[in-house]
Amino acid sequence: MSHRKHFFAIMLQGLVMALGIALVSQVAMAQEAVKAPPKDLVLKGDAKCTRCHDESDEPKVLSIGKTKHGTVADGRTPTCTSCHGESGAHLNKTPDGKRPTPDRVFKKTTPAEVQNEACTSCHKGGNRMFWDTSTHKNRGVACASCHDVHNNGHDKVRDKHTQTEVCYTCHKEQRAQMSRPSHHPVPEGKMACSDCHNPHGSAAPKQLKKDSVNETCYECHMEKRGPFVHNHQPVTEDCSICHNPHGTTAQTLLKQRMPLLCQNCHNASSHRTQAMQQLSGRSTSSGAIASMARGCLNCHTNIHGSNSTTSSSTGGRFRQ
Ligand code: HEC
Ligand code: HEC
Ligand code: HEC
Ligand code: HEC
Ligand code: HEC
Ligand code: HEC
Ligand code: HEC
Ligand code: HEC
Ligand code: HEC
Ligand code: HEC
C-alpha cells in the first residue's frame, strides 16, 4: 500500500468512527431530551423549584436573577435552597393533596433567628461584624425586614431616596423629627439614615457608624473637630447635647431656642459684665438678652471653639 492509500484508509476509518460517535451521541441526546430535567432559569440549580415557580408566580420570584444573588458566574451566590432549605416535603404533595411549606419561609410568624440563619451563613464580618450584639438583632429584627431579596435589582433600603420608607415602618418618632423645619437633608434624598447609622450594629451606642456621636459628625463637619485653643466643654463631649441630629423646630437643629439652650448650664444672672449693661442700659436681665434675635451668639460667635490668642476674655469666651 502506498503512503497515500494508507492515508486515505485511515481518513475513511476516522470518518466512519466520527459519524458513528455523532450518531450515537445524537440518539443519546434525543433520549435525554425526553426526560430532560427543566433548565435553571435564574440561579444555578434553581430548576427543582422554578419548574413550578416561574414567570407566572406572583409576586415575581424570578426577579432575584437581576440582583447580585443572580450573578451565576460568582461561585459564592446562593440557590433557592440556600435560603429556603432543601424543602424535600414541599416538592411533592402529601397523599391528602396538601403541600407542606418549604423548610424556611420569611413570614412575620417565622422567628427572626430562623430567618437570619439563611443570610448569616454567607454574610458574616465586614459591615456586619457587630450584628450579634446589635440592638436590631437583639430586638428580633430580621435581615428580610429591611432587605427585599426578590427584587428587580432595586432594594429600597439601599437607595438614599427610598431608605427612609423602610426605616419609618418601625421608627415613627424619627419620621416626625425629620419633618420638622430644621433637619438634615434626609427627606430631600441627599442623605440617608445610614450616613450616620450602621443598621447592622456597631461598636458605638445607638448603632452609630463611627465610634462616638462626635466622630460620626466630624465625618462631614470636620471644622468642628478643631483643634481649638479654647474648647467649649459640651462640644468636645457630645454634639447631641445641643443638637438633635434628626430635626428640631428651633433653628440649626438646636434642641432649644436661644438663650434657653445656654441657660441650661449658664446662669444668665451671673453674667455680671459691663457688656450686659451696655446691652440693656440696666442691670443684667435674661429678658433683655432673649429679646435680641440671636441672643448670646451675637457676642459669643465661635460657640464650637475659638482660636483667638489675643486675650482669654475674648478667645476664652468664644467671642472670636
Ligand atoms: C411541584 C410544584 C412546586 C415545586 C417544585 C416547588 N414549589 Fe414552592 N410552592 C408551590 C405551590 C403550589 C405553592 C403555594 C403557592 C400559593 O399558595 O400561592 C408554593 C409555595 C412556596 C412558597 C411560599 C410558601 C408560604 O407559605 O409562604 C415558597 C417560599 C416556595 N414555594 C419555595 C419553593 C422552593 C424554594 C422550591 C424548591 C426547593 C419550591 N418552592 C418548589 C409549588 C411548588
Ligand atoms: C438570598 C435568599 C433567597 C434566595 C436565594 C431565594 N429566596 Fe425566596 N425568599 C427569600 C425571602 C427573604 C423571602 C421573603 C420575601 C422577600 O423578602 O423578598 C422569599 C420569598 C419567597 C417566596 C414567597 C413570595 C411571597 O412573598 O409570597 C417564594 C415563592 C420564593 N421565595 C421562592 C424562591 C425561589 C423559587 C427561589 C429560587 C429561584 C428563591 N426563592 C430564592 C429569600 C430567598
Ligand atoms: C450562599 C451564600 C449567600 C446567601 C445564603 C445569602 N447571600 Fe446575600 N450575597 C451573596 C453574595 C456572593 C453576594 C454578592 C456579594 C458581592 O458582590 O460583594 C450577596 C449580596 C447581597 C447583598 C448586596 C446586593 C447588592 O446588590 O450589592 C445583599 C443586600 C444581600 N446579599 C442580602 C442577603 C440576605 C438578606 C440574605 C438572606 C435572606 C442573603 N443575602 C443570603 C451570598 C449569599
Ligand atoms: C434595619 C435595616 C437593616 C437590617 C435589619 C439589615 N440590613 Fe443590610 N443593609 C441595610 C442598609 C441601610 C444597607 C446599605 C448601607 C449603606 O449603603 O451604607 C445595607 C446593606 C447590606 C449589604 C450590602 C452592602 C454591605 O454592607 O456589604 C449586605 C450584604 C447586607 N446589608 C446584608 C444584611 C444581612 C445579612 C442582614 C442580617 C444579618 C442585614 N443586612 C440586616 C439595612 C439593613
Ligand atoms: C422591623 C422594624 C425595624 C426596622 C425596619 C428598622 N428598625 Fe431600627 N430599631 C427597631 C427596634 C425594635 C429598635 C429598638 C427599640 C427602639 O429604639 O425603637 C430599633 C433601634 C434602632 C436604633 C437605636 C439603636 C440603639 O442601640 O439604641 C437605630 C439607630 C435604628 N434602629 C436605626 C434604624 C435604621 C437606620 C433603619 C432603616 C435602615 C431601621 N432602624 C429600621 C426596629 C426596626
Ligand atoms: C446626622 C446623623 C444622623 C442621621 C442622618 C440619622 N441619625 Fe439617628 N441618631 C443620630 C445620633 C447622633 C443619635 C444618638 C443621639 C440622639 O438620640 O440624639 C441617633 C439616635 C437614633 C435612634 C435612637 C433614639 C433613642 O432615643 O434611643 C434611632 C431609633 C435613630 N437614630 C433612627 C434614625 C433613623 C430612622 C434615621 C433616618 C430617618 C436616622 N436616625 C438618621 C444621628 C443621626
Ligand atoms: C454624611 C454627612 C453628614 C454627617 C455625618 C453629619 N452631617 Fe450635619 N449636615 C450635613 C449636611 C449635608 C447639612 C446641610 C448643609 C446645608 O444645608 O447647607 C448638615 C447640616 C448640619 C447642621 C446645620 C443645620 C442648619 O439648619 O443649618 C447642623 C447643626 C449639623 N449638620 C449637625 C450635625 C451633627 C450634630 C452631626 C452628628 C450627629 C452631623 N451633623 C452629621 C451632613 C452631615
Ligand atoms: C453648646 C451647644 C452646642 C454644642 C455642644 C454643639 N453645637 Fe453646633 N451649634 C450650636 C449653636 C448655638 C449653633 C448656631 C450657630 C449660629 O447660628 O451662628 C450651632 C451651629 C452648628 C452648625 C451650623 C452652623 C455652623 O457653624 O456650621 C453645625 C454644622 C454644627 N453646629 C455642628 C456641630 C457639631 C458637629 C457639634 C459637635 C462637635 C456641635 N455642633 C456641638 C451649639 C452647639
Ligand atoms: C451642657 C452645658 C452647656 C451648655 C448647653 C452651654 N455651655 Fe457654655 N460652657 C459649659 C461649660 C461646662 C463650660 C466651661 C466652664 C468653665 O470653664 O468654667 C462652658 C464655657 C462657656 C464660656 C466660657 C466661660 C469662661 O469662663 O471662659 C462661654 C462664653 C459659654 N460657655 C457660652 C455658652 C453659650 C453662649 C451657650 C449657648 C449657645 C452655652 N455656653 C451652652 C457648659 C455649657
Ligand atoms: C453684648 C454681648 C454679650 C451677650 C449678648 C452675651 N455675652 Fe456673655 N460675655 C460677654 C463678654 C464681653 C464676656 C466677658 C466678660 C468678662 O470677661 O468679664 C462674657 C462672658 C460670658 C461668660 C463667662 C463669664 C461669666 O459671666 O460667667 C459666660 C458663661 C457667658 N458670657 C455666657 C453668655 C450667655 C449664656 C449669653 C446669653 C444668655 C451671653 N453670654 C450673652 C458678652 C456677651
Side-chain angles (χ1 to χ4, degrees), residues 296-309:
C296 322
L297 297 176
N298 270 357
C299 303
H300 303 287
T301 47
N302 291 325
I303 203 62
H304 298 99
S306 156
N307 283 324
S308 170
T309 48

Side-chain angles (χ1 to χ4, degrees), residues 182 184-185 191 195-196 213 216-217 219-221 239 243 245 252-253:
S182 178
H184 268 105
M191 253 175 97
D195 279 322
C196 293
V213 171
T216 304
C217 311
E219 235 202 322
C220 301
H221 303 290
C239 312
H243 295 289
T252 338
L253 293 169

